Amino acid sequence: MKQRIAIQGIRGSNHHQVAREYFGDDTDLVESMSFDFLVDRLLDKTADIGIMAIENSIAGSIIPNYALVYHNDLHIIGEHYLNIDHNLMVLKGQKIGDIEEVRSHPMALLQCKEFFRDYPHIKMVEDVDTAETAKRIQEQQLKHIAAIAPEVAANLYDLDIVAERIQTIKNNATRFIIVSTKNKVVPKDEINKASVRFVTDHKRGSLATILNVMSDCNLNLTKIQSLPIIETPWKYAFFVDVTFGGSEHFEKAKALLGIMSEDFKVLGEFKNARL
């Protein structure tokens, strides 16, 4: 049976590209127009695995997704890094001079803002998704309208790319996490990265003490993100990613952090995609 992979957006989106690179083409895609709906597809077992963007090298962390993983008891079983290229695409036969309006996700528009300084006549309009806009242009045969979307969307929806890689900062990458309602699927001897969540008390130096413990256990901190605890004003949870050479280092750290912090939880143990 094919794996059912839930993605945010539709075919032709960056999430679709990650699904192809991580799992191959022999999967059933479950399209979801929001991350909340993606999680719902996992919980109601419409999908087996989900792909969620978690941070971008330009825009930073997608903070609500940390809360979605924690509050829905999801497990991070992998990660994938994707270089993000924004391409300007139109109906076949249209040229860049024919464009009156460009539509895309707000983040894509923001990341391509400098390109459109040379085309002041083109109106920039926020839309729900990059690939969905490309699909609509083809289905409705929208002339004078362009989409900013990945190359895969142009191929799927038979559009012409009139300008490639129009993002202002060319080195633009997004980290995606692979999530499931089931726990780790990676063999223990291959695990060299983990995501954890914990809460510290209000004593001076509490966070520093915990970070020192991680260092003493030979863990390398690669990410730390704080998130307010809504039920307790002015108290924060910390989401941390660490890498390590052997699982025994992480096992030791887990035992200590479980004692030293509040509400300690391992969100996932998986392979480091950057190696």
PDB file of all heavy atoms in Angstrom, residues 1 80 97 102:
ATOM      1  N   MET A   1       0.841  -1.195   0.000  1.00  0.00           N
ATOM      2  CA  MET A   1       0.000   0.000   0.000  1.00  0.00           C
ATOM      3  C   MET A   1       0.879   1.250   0.000  1.00  0.00           C
ATOM      4  O   MET A   1       1.868   1.323   0.722  1.00  0.00           O
ATOM      5  CB  MET A   1      -0.913   0.004   1.233  1.00  0.00           C
ATOM      6  CG  MET A   1      -1.862   1.196   1.284  1.00  0.00           C
ATOM      7  SD  MET A   1      -2.901   1.181   2.777  1.00  0.00           S
ATOM      8  CE  MET A   1      -3.873  -0.298   2.466  1.00  0.00           C
ATOM      9  N   HIS A  80      14.008  17.573   6.307  1.00  0.00           N
ATOM     10  CA  HIS A  80      14.492  17.744   4.940  1.00  0.00           C
ATOM     11  C   HIS A  80      14.700  19.230   4.680  1.00  0.00           C
ATOM     12  O   HIS A  80      13.871  20.057   5.083  1.00  0.00           O
ATOM     13  CB  HIS A  80      13.479  17.185   3.935  1.00  0.00           C
ATOM     14  CG  HIS A  80      13.981  17.148   2.524  1.00  0.00           C
ATOM     15  ND1 HIS A  80      14.844  16.189   2.068  1.00  0.00           N
ATOM     16  CD2 HIS A  80      13.743  17.968   1.463  1.00  0.00           C
ATOM     17  CE1 HIS A  80      15.117  16.400   0.798  1.00  0.00           C
ATOM     18  NE2 HIS A  80      14.462  17.480   0.405  1.00  0.00           N
ATOM     19  N   GLY A  97       5.895  41.411 -20.318  1.00  0.00           N
ATOM     20  CA  GLY A  97       5.276  42.708 -20.569  1.00  0.00           C
ATOM     21  C   GLY A  97       3.761  42.673 -20.561  1.00  0.00           C
ATOM     22  O   GLY A  97       3.112  43.727 -20.471  1.00  0.00           O
ATOM     23  N   VAL A 102       0.433  40.082 -10.279  1.00  0.00           N
ATOM     24  CA  VAL A 102       1.083  38.853  -9.846  1.00  0.00           C
ATOM     25  C   VAL A 102       0.467  38.435  -8.515  1.00  0.00           C
ATOM     26  O   VAL A 102       0.279  39.254  -7.615  1.00  0.00           O
ATOM     27  CB  VAL A 102       2.604  39.026  -9.728  1.00  0.00           C
ATOM     28  CG1 VAL A 102       2.971  40.130  -8.735  1.00  0.00           C
ATOM     29  CG2 VAL A 102       3.266  37.710  -9.303  1.00  0.00           C
TER      30      VAL A 102
END
